[in-house]
Amino acid sequence: MTIDLATLARAVQSAYDEHHAAPGGDNASYIPYLAKVPSGLAGLAVVTVDGDVLTAGDSDFRFAIESISKVCTLALALDDVGPDVVQAQVGADATGLPFNSIIALELHHDKPLSPLVNAGAMSTVSLVKAASVEDRWQRILAMQSALAGAPLELSDEVNQSEQTTNAHNRAIAWLLYSAGVMYCDPMEACDVYTRQCSTLITAAQLATIGATLAAQGVNPVTKNKVLLEGHTRYVLAEMTMEGMYGSSGDWAYTVGLPAKSGVGGGILAVVPGVMGIAGFSPPLDAAGNSVRGQLMVADVAKAMGYNLYAG
Ligand code: DON
């Protein structure tokens, strides 16, 4: 598909201008670091499958990747054990409940269902092939970096903030272990999961992850083949099912693109075969999705006529 870059640049700037100061929402506060990030920050970025990069606002500000990391680890697990094992041993369905729900486990016979909620993400971390804790962590970090086209780094400050407040996730990890759906030591999985949430990323790098998923796993910026042939479809399907948590259905209904949010304020949408669109702004709505990020990303998609279900 040929993209008119001048039209795209106008769409990005206009979505930013319109929504970068939209009211509503609050920073996540259950992770102390996130509560301190300036709420007024907002950035927007698009990376096309041809490697064109368009940005507006604070697109170079490094924020915590948080739950968007789940997309990268899912991609790695798919390459390691294949889509059938991920579906059988973690699941591939929406929970319909908040991202850290324990009730969701109870309701579904202790199966996490989705690799994109906290329970399923820790289970997915445990499926990654690794010889040690450090190997597991380094392989996940390498996958994040390869998808983003840049060497991402752990923020010790974010990690410290999360590791000291993640009792709820540790409890989930033990529940998964007792149910037989944790495939390495549960505290190892929780530790590495917490680290994967604590890397810093810019909106432009996030959009590159999206562009790589849009381009069948070939990073359009580095030109490296990051994922095995045919695996991006499973990642995108999961993003559609659960990427926006309790709002995933509404997002599919109104915007019609696979997307993934994080409580750091990031949101990534993918237009398969075309581009990644990433927004960032810390205030979140009740489902845990960035208020301004959703508005900015949805606006670019609408202006460019991208909606998977619109024909
Ligand atoms: O495990 C947690 O709760 C956080 N590290 C990540 C949660 C998250 O980003 C959910 N996103 N909307």
Side-chain angles (χ1 to χ4, degrees):
M1 179 188 283
T2 312
I3 304 166
D4 178 356
L5 289 179
T7 305
L8 181 58
R10 275 196 301 276
V12 169
Q13 192 59 49
S14 132
Y16 172 80
D17 291 344
E18 182 78 14
H19 301 297
H20 76 278
D26 292 300
N27 284 35
S29 58
Y30 73 101
I31 298 169
Y33 174 93
L34 299 179
K36 293 187 307 186
V37 178
S39 304
L41 289 166
L44 181 60
V46 163
V47 175
T48 71
V49 294
D50 296 326
D52 302 301
V53 182
L54 298 102
T55 60
D58 302 309
S59 57
D60 286 333
F61 182 85
R62 298 199 311 154
F63 57 93
I65 190 170
E66 296 299 343
S67 272
I68 306 168
S69 65
K70 291 166 176 157
V71 165
C72 307
T73 306
L74 170 59
L76 180 58
L78 285 166
D79 281 2
D80 275 4
V81 300
D84 293 345
V85 172
V86 171
Q87 186 179 24
Q89 297 194 206
V90 180
D93 229 327
T95 67
L97 287 161
F99 60 83
N100 56 2
S101 175
I102 286 176
I103 293 174
L105 287 173
E106 291 285 322
L107 286 176
H108 302 112
H109 311 288
D110 293 327
K111 195 170 178 190
L113 289 194
S114 170
L116 300 188
V117 295
N118 290 11
M122 286 189 278
S123 188
T124 305
V125 164
S126 77
L127 277 181
V128 167
K129 289 192 174 142
S132 65
V133 189
E134 273 321 297
D135 187 34
R136 192 178 302 280
W137 160 237
Q138 289 301 333
R139 289 199 67 225
I140 287 174
L141 181 62
M143 177 54 87
Q144 287 190 7
S145 300
L147 287 166
L152 300 191
E153 287 173 2
L154 180 78
S155 160
D156 288 330
E157 195 184 351
V158 179
N159 188 42
Q160 181 69 14
S161 187
E162 299 217 18
Q163 297 278 6
T164 51
T165 54
N166 67 353
H168 189 88
N169 283 341
R170 277 185 272 145
I172 291 174
W174 280 115
L175 284 176
L176 295 171
Y177 176 75
S178 78
V181 286
M182 184 58 94
Y183 309 104
C184 74
D185 177 86
M187 290 302 93
E188 174 179 337
C190 187
D191 171 20
V192 173
Y193 164 76
T194 305
R195 290 195 236 179
Q196 77 172 34
C197 292
S198 303
T199 57
L200 298 179
I201 193 162
T202 68
Q205 292 163 343
L206 197 53
T208 307
I209 295 180
T212 306
L213 293 171
Q216 293 284 350
V218 177
N219 185 314
V221 174
T222 63
K223 314 291 180 211
N224 291 333
K225 185 157 179 48
V226 180
L227 303 177
L228 294 178
E229 197 74 38
H231 278 178
T232 53
R233 56 178 276 205
Y234 301 106
V235 179
L236 298 179
E238 279 310 294
M239 290 169 73
T240 301
M241 292 307 300
E242 189 64 275
M244 302 294 282
Y245 301 115
S247 307
S248 298
D250 286 319
W251 179 265
Y253 193 88
T254 54
V255 183
L257 294 175
K260 182 76 200 82
S261 69
V263 289
I267 169 171
L268 167 64
V270 178
V271 189
V274 184
M275 64 176 62
I277 311 170
F280 156 67
S281 191
L284 309 177
D285 65 14
N289 302 320
S290 168
V291 172
R292 297 176 191 137
Q294 291 177 86
L295 291 169
M296 291 188 291
V297 169
D299 217 33
V300 172
K302 188 172 174 199
M304 298 302 293
Y306 299 140
N307 180 326
L308 290 191
Y309 310 114

